[in-house]
Amino acid sequence: MTKVVIINGSNTRDSRVTAIHEKVEHFFKAQRVAIHANYVHELPTADLIKANFASEAIKAENKQVEEADIVVILTPIYKASYTGILKTYLDLLPQKALEGKTILPIAVGGSIGHLLALEYALKPVLAVLGATDIAHSVYIVDRQIIRLEDGGFAIEEDAIKRLEVELHKLQQIATVN
């Protein structure tokens, strides 16, 4: 059975990134694909900051990545790069942790001006971790994700369409496995 791991590099669950996370998760659940969500900010802070490779929490998350066929990496873009908290976790992955996996990078940023942060900042790190099958990145401008009064989010149709194009490509991979 295909397994998907979603690594959420946001610093909170109450974010636009999590709205996209939930959309990805619902997509794969509808396909009856096994999913594991890693909210990096919920990992032990000291283990992340001190690069504690022996941490049981870190080893458990790394095991999930090891067993995954597809890894979706979500991040907000701050100051033209992905988050530091995501980088601290990626630094704790084994050297070739992403080898043989399909990777989908997704980012939410304040303006279209940060679009290339995925290409120039995140993708090189993913390649160093062994990723050779990196899907077309999805970049969503934060104003395309509207915070609703009830605390939920509405995502503009254009953003949903671009996301779903890439998810459907991954669905084909999931069906093959």
Side-chain angles (χ1 to χ4, degrees), residues 6-163:
I6 302 171
I7 300 173
N8 187 326
S10 182
N11 62 356
T12 179
R13 281 192 185 227
D14 183 32
S15 72
R16 288 174 170 84
V17 171
T18 301
I20 301 302
H21 178 135
E22 290 171 356
K23 190 81 173 159
V24 170
E25 201 166 300
H26 291 311
F27 177 86
F28 284 114
K29 281 183 180 176
Q31 310 306 316
R32 301 188 200 289
V33 173
I35 301 166
H36 173 76
N38 172 350
Y39 289 87
V40 177
H41 75 276
E42 294 177 359
L43 291 171
T45 306
D47 291 343
L48 290 168
I49 292 171
K50 294 179 180 179
N52 182 2
F53 289 91
S55 161
E56 292 303 318
I58 299 299
K59 289 194 298 191
E61 289 304 327
N62 289 353
K63 180 81 170 148
Q64 295 288 337
V65 172
E66 178 185 324
E67 295 171 352
D69 301 292
I70 298 169
V71 178
V72 178
I73 299 178
L74 293 145
T75 184
I77 300 294
Y78 298 133
K79 297 184 176 37
S81 186
Y82 59 96
T83 60
I85 194 166
L86 177 59
K87 178 67 164 101
T88 60
Y89 176 67
L90 294 176
D91 286 346
L92 289 167
L93 284 170
Q95 186 64 34
K96 295 297 178 186
L98 301 180
E99 196 169 67
K101 299 168 190 333
T102 301
I103 313 300
L104 175 59
I106 303 172
V108 175
S111 76
I112 198 70
H114 298 294
L115 169 69
L116 293 177
L118 288 167
E119 303 301 317
Y120 294 114
L122 183 59
K123 281 188 177 181
V125 173
L126 301 178
V128 166
L129 290 169
T132 56
D133 186 9
I134 303 175
H136 187 268
S137 302
V138 179
Y139 183 83
I140 300 168
V141 179
D142 65 4
R143 70 177 172 269
Q144 293 181 294
I145 307 167
I146 299 99
R147 190 178 301 270
L148 304 174
E149 288 184 21
D150 67 1
F153 293 94
I155 304 168
E156 287 184 4
E157 194 60 34
D158 173 64
I160 290 172
K161 283 181 184 176
R162 288 184 292 108
L163 178 61

